[in-house]
Amino acid sequence: GSADIGVTGLAVMGSNLARNFARHGFTVALHNRTKAKTDALMEAHGEEGVFVPTGTAEEFVAALERPRRLVIMVKAGEPTDAVIAEFAPLLEAGDVIIDGGNAHFEDTRRREKELREQGIHFVGTGISGGEEGALNGPSIMPGGSAESYESLGPLLEQIAAKAKDGTPCTTHIGPDGAGHFVKMVHNGIEYADMQLIAEAYHLLRSVAGYEPRQIAETFRTWNTGRLDSYLIEITAEVLAHTDAATGRPFVDVVADEAEQKGTGRWTVQTALDLGVPVSGIAEAVFARSLSGHADLRAASRDLPGPTGSALGEKEAAAFADQVEQALYASKIVSYTQGFHQIQAGSDEYGWDIDLGKVAAIWRGGCIIRAAFLDRITDAYDGRPDLPSLLSDERFAEEIGAAQDDWRAVITAAVADGVPVPGFSAALAYYDALRAERLPAALTQGQRDFFGAHTYRRTDRDGAFHTLWGGERNEVPAG
Ligand code: NBP
């Protein structure tokens, strides 16, 4: 075979990725379960590069140069297992299977182990950037063996997005499931970013009394500053859009029930297992599910609440500035939580993930790309063992400068009855971390009272138990 790489699964993502490889001068073998998709791709874009369209699995494998590099871009879950089962028997030791779908990292760990036993490298790879990114340069998060990255990395570096300084937005993340784990947390952070932006919009609409067009302008202005990011940019686009059928703002005619495909939920489920407080991401996932409970919402619509008062023009503008501060501070917290989760996953599974590099490859191509990521890279470059983003001097300074406005915005939201679970969870996290003493001491007392669960003391080592049922004497535990 002569193809440098092959792509099987030619739906939106696979076909765009195949074209991206071809446009960079690679010979790309094509395969799809339903041949019509392969033919359609050749028909529409066959002249963009050198493609080798194939029909059967055998033809596809035969078209690949050895060691073979085969990208699977099919629906995550069972289809991925089905495709692996179809191709693995046709491959040889040293070949590389790349799964670019949104697999759960535990599935990736299982698949990697099974294929490793056959001498096949399995590279579970997170790819972010949607359709456009796949074609013009996504952020690519490959896991798998270091050896597989040697053969694959140079190709991925060609097709990946480039950060402003020219660095390709891909790096070897770590063994087995590390790439898909990082992609999962990326999506969790994406959920949190989107929720925080939604809350900012809600506040500008309900508290400041702005119309969607005005809010679009506000976001455009924010996008020239420290919040400069893809999500803020597209938010302005969506808010400025007018529905053709009704002439009303698009955002007012869309059903307000958010859907989800599951990666945000995985992030939170995994965080619960790892014991990492990703409260901002969790609130974002819950906010989407709450919005979807139409019956519950209809049944609750008459519950009493405050009647908000309209702000004057000047006050509204001042409030909008405060919302920018609150959004930025909450965003720092979301990323702090997300990076904590990556560190915890890395420790748990022995992946040795470089957090600074993760931030660096999210600077371009992916949905959460933002000027802000440069700052995170700088923070980890300056101090690779940074215990938390909040311990970075510059972030600590900025969040400190934002905190008065952050609190004022949440106070206004509470007074007006506007739900801001993301902003509030972020502030609660910040205040809890800052606290000299937490009421967890009382929790420990309660646990010892009803369950003899024991506690530690601030002044002496060891575990203790109080005999609550008797004279309440303290005894050493165990
Ligand atoms: P889909 O997730 O819609 O999957 C469609 C593809 O899967 C088609 O090629 C289809 O073949 C193939 N397929 C299915 Br379904 N079952 C199969 C089976 N049992 N055996 C062989 N092939 C099978 O495509 P997509 O939206 O392009 O996404 C591909 C992957 O990329 C997914 O894992 C997705 O989560 C991930 N992803 C998507 C995005 C995005 O923005 N859409 C971003 C990042 C990652 P057929 O043509 O014969 O039906």
Side-chain angles (χ1 to χ4, degrees):
S2 64
D4 301 299
I5 194 147
V7 180
T8 182
L10 299 173
V12 186
M13 290 297 286
S15 52
N16 281 311
L17 206 63
R19 291 169 62 197
N20 188 349
F21 276 117
R23 287 172 175 193
H24 281 90
F26 297 111
T27 300
V28 186
L30 301 174
H31 177 267
N32 192 67
R33 177 179 62 179
T34 313
K35 176 82 170 10
K37 276 210 182 89
T38 312
D39 298 339
L41 177 58
M42 286 307 293
E43 175 77 30
H45 303 287
E47 80 301 338
E48 284 177 16
V50 186
F51 293 106
V52 186
T54 67
T56 66
E58 288 77 8
E59 281 168 27
F60 180 57
V61 169
L64 298 169
E65 185 189 273
R66 283 153 67 182
R68 301 176 181 89
R69 289 176 288 236
L70 179 166
V71 181
I72 301 176
M73 278 311 280
V74 302
K75 203 176 163 81
E78 275 168 29
T80 306
D81 282 315
V83 172
I84 292 172
E86 187 180 3
F87 286 101
L90 307 174
L91 299 178
E92 291 167 300
D95 288 350
V96 185
I97 296 181
I98 302 108
D99 173 19
N102 266 334
H104 193 289
F105 76 96
E106 292 282 17
D107 283 336
T108 302
R109 283 167 60 76
R110 168 178 58 79
R111 290 166 183 152
E112 195 274 341
K113 186 163 176 279
E114 285 165 9
L115 288 161
R116 194 182 340 129
E117 281 157 16
Q118 300 174 46
I120 296 170
H121 296 285
F122 184 72
V123 180
T125 303
I127 300 182
S128 178
E131 189 177 344
E132 200 270 341
L135 182 61
N136 297 318
S139 173
I140 312 178
M141 297 151 248
S145 65
E147 194 187 336
S148 65
Y149 191 81
E150 276 171 34
S151 123
L152 192 61
L155 278 79
L156 297 184
E157 285 164 21
Q158 290 273 321
I159 68 149
K162 306 292 177 292
K164 282 207 183 86
D165 65 6
T167 330
C169 293
T170 185
T171 188
H172 179 233
I173 303 285
D176 60 79
H180 275 136
F181 186 94
V182 164
K183 172 61 169 31
M184 175 187 77
V185 177
H186 164 283
N187 285 26
I189 292 175
E190 173 187 311
Y191 274 55
D193 260 346
M194 290 170 70
Q195 174 63 22
L196 295 173
I197 292 172
E199 290 177 18
Y201 155 74
H202 198 176
L203 288 163
L204 293 175
R205 190 98 195 245
S206 298
V207 180
Y210 282 6
E211 289 305 313
R213 284 214 147 266
Q214 249 178 312
I215 304 175
E217 276 317 306
T218 306
F219 277 109
R220 280 197 186 113
T221 311
W222 290 355
N223 204 39
T224 62
R226 60 190 182 173
L227 284 170
D228 174 4
S229 63
Y230 172 70
L231 281 171
I232 294 279
E233 178 192 326
I234 67 162
T235 302
E237 294 296 322
V238 173
L239 286 173
H241 183 55
T242 303
D243 174 52
T246 60
R248 294 172 57 201
F250 169 78
V251 73
D252 287 349
V253 299
V254 174
D256 61 347
E257 294 170 28
E259 293 173 14
Q260 48 187 318
K261 280 196 172 165
T263 42
R265 183 165 54 231
W266 290 348
T267 311
V268 179
Q269 285 170 335
T270 304
L272 290 173
D273 291 337
L274 291 168
V276 181
V278 292
S279 47
I281 299 170
E283 288 295 354
V285 174
F286 284 137
R288 287 198 197 187
S289 24
L290 189 149
S291 77
H293 283 284
D295 292 348
L296 185 58
R297 290 174 60 196
S300 314
R301 208 141 277 151
D302 292 334
L303 291 172
T307 39
S309 51
L311 297 180
E313 207 177 302
K314 258 193 162 161
E315 286 171 290
F319 181 71
D321 289 344
Q322 291 186 311
V323 173
E324 193 269 347
Q325 297 277 355
L327 179 53
Y328 188 70
S330 303
K331 187 178 167 83
I332 295 176
V333 169
S334 298
Y335 283 73
T336 301
Q337 296 182 343
F339 277 87
H340 183 187
Q341 180 166 0
I342 295 174
Q343 183 63 60
S346 179
D347 292 345
E348 172 74 17
Y349 299 101
W351 287 327
D352 198 20
I353 297 175
D354 181 333
L355 299 184
K357 278 197 179 152
V358 170
I361 67 165
W362 286 350
R363 290 180 300 167
C366 65
I367 304 295
I368 65 170
R369 63 182 179 263
F372 180 76
L373 268 312
D374 273 319
R375 304 281 314 284
I376 300 183
T377 307
D378 289 349
Y380 283 110
D381 279 352
R383 203 179 146 194
D385 65 338
L386 197 67
S388 150
L389 276 186
L390 288 177
S391 0
D392 175 66
E393 227 170 87
R394 283 171 67 191
F395 281 127
E397 219 169 87
E398 284 181 320
I399 212 164
Q403 64 146 336
D404 286 345
D405 287 336
W406 193 11
R407 292 177 198 282
V409 164
I410 292 170
T411 304
V414 171
D416 278 19
V418 177
V420 286
F423 283 7
S424 314
L427 181 59
Y429 177 87
Y430 176 75
D431 282 336
L433 284 186
R434 279 185 332 102
E436 182 66 36
R437 292 276 297 161
L438 285 171
L442 176 60
T443 308
Q444 284 297 83
Q446 293 165 323
R447 294 178 68 248
D448 190 59
F449 189 103
F450 66 66
H453 291 305
T454 79
Y455 50 88
R456 286 178 298 108
R457 296 182 56 99
T458 57
D459 53 357
R460 267 178 287 144
D461 284 342
F464 300 92
H465 169 54
T466 291
L467 302 166
W468 296 100
E471 296 296 310
R472 308 206 159 172
N473 293 324
E474 183 174 84
V475 294

